[in-house]
Amino acid sequence: MEPNLRYLACLRLSSDSDASTAIERQRRSIEHYLAAPHVSGILAGEAEDADVSGGLSPFKRPALGKWLNNRADDFDVIIAYRLDRLTRRALHFNELLKWCQENGKFIVCVEEGFDLSTGPGKMMAQITAVFAEAEWDTIQARIANGVKTRLENRSWLVGAPPTGYRIKPVEGERRKVLEIDPDFLPVIDEIFDRVLDGQSTHRIAKDFNIRNIPTWGDHLRALKGEKAKGIQWQAVIINKFIRSSWVPGIYTYKGEAILDDDGDPVILPETPLLDLDEWHEMVAKIAPKGKSAGATRVAKSLLAGVAKCGECGSALARVKTSGSLRKDGTRAEGKFFYRCTSRFRGGKCSKGAYISVDELDGLVNDLLMTTIGKWEMYEKTAAAPSMARELQAARARRDRLEADYLAGRYDGEGQADSYWRMHKSLSGKIAGLEKQEEQREHQSLKATGKRYSEVWATKDESDRREFLREYNVTVYVWRDPLPNMAPKNRNGLILDAGDITRMAEEVNLITGFDAESILFGYQVPNHWIDASELFTPEGREEVERVYGTANLPEVVQRLQIKTKRMSGLESFLASVPTI
């Protein structure tokens, strides 16, 4: 090879700690080679990849990859202490060799004495690469077996403990396990309790910062005797923690849960922070609530997306008046009102709802507390995340494995054991995924041990709004729904209890109705809530005498049909004119 060429030194240390090939030793050997008189090489740079597996392609290594992909013009020769410092995969070596041929580069391996600018050198390097790959496979098998053994006895492998846990040495044994950190547990318990009560993680983070509660990172620094950084709590930090698979103690590798022979996830701590069902429920609690189709954008107030105009069904938007003009020429502070968006924007609603925010919020709060608030609160058990895609992939892998077995590709010595081991693992995984998908389709209800009024009292305005929207509660507001209403008290409303009613029905808390929902009214005609009065001529006549008309608003007709309280109600309502 010509002297005075530019050399790129490739240095690598595996994640499995090659003590005999430390970075400094590799560097000295390369420098000694370049200093030889017949070489007189110029060191163009170093590509140092510490803690990088030999199974990773050279083109994907952090340091070497940058030189190969972006700086090919800056060197002439790739030099490494030994071939396995470049790669332990024969396929990857051939890719690198082809790249060098196409780009006019050479490869030199100091210890083996390979100079790939010659034919014999290329042949010997390829043979050595095959043996290097076999050695790498042996190393990986040894590591995998070690990991499997340590997982079976719940041993902690490596690294800092996950949030909420501490590492504990096992007395009399050369291993460590994870256990719950009792000093940080009160913080975690408070997060869980407040999330289950329906409080937002933004509110929790704000409160923790006011109370100067240290984050997990600062807690670990305090344990080490280090100074706290004063990192602030954020909603995203709490959300990330709750979604972490370490909350139920699931051990993952490259983002995928490791499963045991029965297809269940490996739970590393003997006692995790939550069991799987509790974790799924917690994750469901912080899941973003999607905006309903066709929903009108409204101001952020208690009844945003909840209150609607009884006349036309349009959403109510919060608006602020300009304030009355004082005698001195200044204006008083404006007040907030809910107003029908259809009438406000020039729609066809002729008598749109218009009510102060304080009045409507107060009426809804009182109505909820005197009705739904007395019920015991039930919730659907949280569903685990859908694993349909993973299940389909696992079945396809098992099908391919079985096809290969039938084709005789596992007939070699020792290969049958390998096949059955893989088949058992895949079958266990499929069984676990099938069980999880079946559970998703059969959600049940469970009592929370609290009444709705208790849960409501713990929430701020933002949390209360999300609570109403989550359960599809709707409030319809009318102006002058009753005859001769006083000017200062001229509003009436109907509250549709939405999903809260259906959940109560499912556990037989409310009986006597075959209803999708139950309606509660305030200052509206009685027959708007229960149309049974209109079923007889006498009843209809009495309704007309009291209210002036028995006709039902279109919105009320839809609500009556939705409740389905009486047999034949739909056909009856079809004959009743609307107003």
Side-chain angles (χ1 to χ4, degrees):
M1 190 179 296
E2 300 177 12
N4 301 319
L5 293 176
R6 298 169 301 167
Y7 287 76
L8 171 63
C10 295
L11 314 171
R12 184 185 65 79
L13 189 64
S14 297
S15 53
D16 52 351
S17 301
D18 297 313
S20 63
T21 52
I23 293 292
E24 190 54 40
R25 179 179 177 181
Q26 296 176 46
R27 182 178 288 113
R28 288 198 304 268
S29 296
I30 292 172
E31 290 173 350
H32 180 73
Y33 178 87
L34 296 181
H38 68 284
V39 177
S40 299
I42 301 170
L43 185 62
E46 289 184 350
E48 180 180 330
D49 289 303
D51 198 29
V52 173
S53 170
L56 186 65
S57 168
F59 296 92
K60 294 182 180 180
R61 279 164 49 175
L64 180 55
K66 291 179 180 178
W67 283 87
L68 298 177
N69 297 318
N70 304 315
R71 301 183 60 183
D73 294 335
D74 296 342
F75 63 92
D76 305 306
V77 183
I78 298 173
I79 184 171
Y81 167 69
R82 207 167 59 196
L83 181 60
D84 62 6
R85 298 304 93 191
L86 287 174
T87 179
R88 286 186 180 271
R89 283 295 192 192
L91 177 62
H92 293 161
F93 175 75
N94 287 331
E95 289 175 349
L96 180 61
L97 183 60
K98 181 180 179 182
W99 181 88
C100 289
Q101 292 171 340
E102 292 175 349
N103 290 273
K105 312 296 181 184
F106 304 106
I107 298 176
V108 171
C109 299
V110 176
E111 186 171 278
E112 291 97 345
F114 295 151
D115 179 349
L116 273 68
S117 63
T118 66
K122 292 178 185 178
M123 182 180 66
M124 289 302 299
Q126 289 172 327
I127 294 173
T128 304
V130 171
F131 283 102
E133 179 171 2
E135 180 185 359
W136 186 82
D137 287 338
T138 302
I139 292 171
Q140 296 309 302
R142 185 171 67 248
I143 293 173
N145 289 333
V147 169
K148 183 178 180 181
T149 301
R150 296 174 75 178
L151 289 178
E152 286 175 350
N153 59 18
R154 290 197 170 112
S155 296
W156 175 242
L157 302 179
V158 66
T163 302
Y165 296 95
R166 66 182 182 183
I167 301 171
K168 174 187 175 182
V170 178
E171 187 175 353
E173 300 182 32
R174 296 181 59 184
R175 65 187 185 93
K176 300 176 182 179
V177 295
L178 284 182
E179 68 174 9
I180 294 175
D181 186 333
D183 297 328
F184 202 72
L185 183 59
V187 178
I188 291 176
D189 283 343
E190 182 174 348
I191 290 174
F192 292 162
D193 290 342
R194 294 176 70 168
V195 168
L196 287 176
D197 281 342
Q199 296 185 31
S200 67
T201 52
H202 174 77
R203 177 183 176 187
I204 297 171
K206 183 178 180 180
D207 180 52
F208 280 7
N209 289 329
I210 293 173
R211 291 159 54 192
N212 293 318
I213 294 177
T215 59
W216 175 248
D218 277 346
H219 172 73
L220 292 181
R221 293 183 186 94
L223 293 178
K224 297 176 183 178
E226 300 175 357
K227 183 179 179 180
K229 291 186 177 181
I231 297 174
Q232 294 284 290
W233 285 91
Q234 299 178 30
V236 66
I237 292 177
I238 299 177
N239 290 338
K240 184 177 180 181
F241 160 66
I242 292 174
R243 294 190 182 103
S244 169
S245 60
W246 278 117
V247 170
I250 298 175
Y251 180 75
T252 62
Y253 179 70
K254 293 184 178 180
E256 183 176 349
I258 302 300
L259 305 180
D260 59 22
D261 291 340
D262 296 324
D264 297 319
V266 173
I267 306 297
L268 206 60
E270 184 173 351
T271 304
L273 295 171
L274 294 175
D275 63 33
L276 283 172
D277 290 337
E278 292 171 330
W279 179 53
H280 291 148
E281 178 182 6
M282 197 70 60
V283 172
K285 279 287 187 180
I286 64 170
K289 306 297 186 297
K291 185 177 179 180
S292 59
T296 304
R297 184 180 178 84
V298 293
K300 290 296 182 182
S301 54
L302 174 62
L303 301 178
V306 176
K308 296 185 177 182
C309 175
E311 293 292 331
C312 66
S314 299
L316 298 188
R318 188 182 69 168
V319 295
K320 186 178 182 181
T321 63
S322 58
S324 59
L325 188 64
R326 300 189 181 100
K327 292 182 178 180
D328 61 2
T330 61
R331 285 192 177 274
E333 179 69 22
K335 296 182 179 180
F336 286 100
F337 285 80
Y338 289 112
R339 177 164 59 180
C340 171
T341 53
S342 175
R343 189 179 184 203
F344 173 63
R345 294 169 183 169
K348 295 181 180 180
C349 187
S350 60
K351 194 179 177 182
Y354 187 78
I355 182 173
S356 77
V357 168
D358 291 341
E359 180 183 355
L360 185 56
D361 288 357
L363 288 174
V364 170
N365 182 77
D366 293 343
L367 192 57
L368 281 169
M369 292 304 96
T370 56
T371 55
I372 298 170
K374 298 178 181 180
W375 300 353
E376 185 176 3
M377 185 173 178
Y378 279 72
E379 290 183 332
K380 288 184 178 180
T381 56
S386 175
M387 303 299 289
R389 183 177 299 178
E390 289 79 357
L391 177 58
Q392 182 180 5
R395 286 170 173 166
R397 287 172 57 192
R398 186 176 64 179
D399 290 345
R400 289 196 301 270
L401 182 67
E402 292 174 346
D404 288 345
Y405 181 78
L406 293 174
R409 294 175 184 171
Y410 287 89
D411 290 346
E413 184 179 353
Q415 289 184 329
D417 291 340
S418 176
Y419 166 79
W420 289 114
R421 184 172 61 252
M422 289 187 289
H423 192 279
K424 181 180 179 181
S425 177
L426 276 172
S427 298
K429 181 175 184 177
I430 290 170
L433 293 174
E434 288 174 340
K435 180 180 178 182
Q436 186 169 329
E437 285 301 290
E438 183 180 356
Q439 290 173 343
R440 276 178 53 81
E441 297 175 1
H442 299 87
Q443 287 180 263
S444 59
L445 294 178
K446 68 173 185 177
T448 63
K450 300 178 182 179
R451 298 189 183 278
Y452 280 102
S453 57
E454 298 176 62
V455 177
W456 184 261
T458 66
K459 299 177 181 292
D460 60 13
E461 184 173 279
S462 175
D463 294 334
R464 288 180 176 182
R465 177 177 60 250
E466 292 306 316
F467 175 87
L468 295 174
R469 297 177 70 172
E470 178 182 355
Y471 286 96
N472 294 316
V473 175
T474 309
V475 177
Y476 296 91
V477 183
W478 284 265
R479 298 179 70 188
D480 302 316
L482 296 174
N484 305 315
M485 297 187 74
K488 292 186 177 180
N489 191 22
R490 60 189 300 186
N491 295 292
L493 63 90
I494 290 178
L495 187 147
D496 177 3
D499 292 344
I500 296 177
T501 300
R502 285 197 287 275
M503 293 175 66
E505 287 275 358
E506 290 181 37
V507 291
N508 297 319
L509 296 180
I510 302 171
T511 58
F513 298 115
D514 178 19
E516 285 188 15
S517 187
I518 289 181
L519 309 178
F520 301 100
Y522 169 77
Q523 291 196 156
V524 294
N526 293 335
H527 63 290
W528 287 17
I529 303 299
D530 184 355
S532 61
E533 296 177 83
L534 305 179
F535 275 45
T536 64
E538 295 81 7
R540 185 178 180 85
E541 182 179 341
E542 179 63 15
V543 167
E544 290 179 340
R545 185 188 67 79
V546 175
Y547 299 110
T549 178
N551 296 344
L552 295 175
E554 184 178 347
V555 167
V556 173
Q557 282 212 33
R558 291 199 300 267
L559 291 174
Q560 289 286 355
I561 293 173
K562 180 181 178 182
T563 60
K564 296 181 181 176
R565 294 186 181 184
M566 306 293 176
S567 60
L569 179 62
E570 291 190 39
S571 59
F572 170 76
L573 289 174
S575 65
V576 178
T578 60
I579 57 175

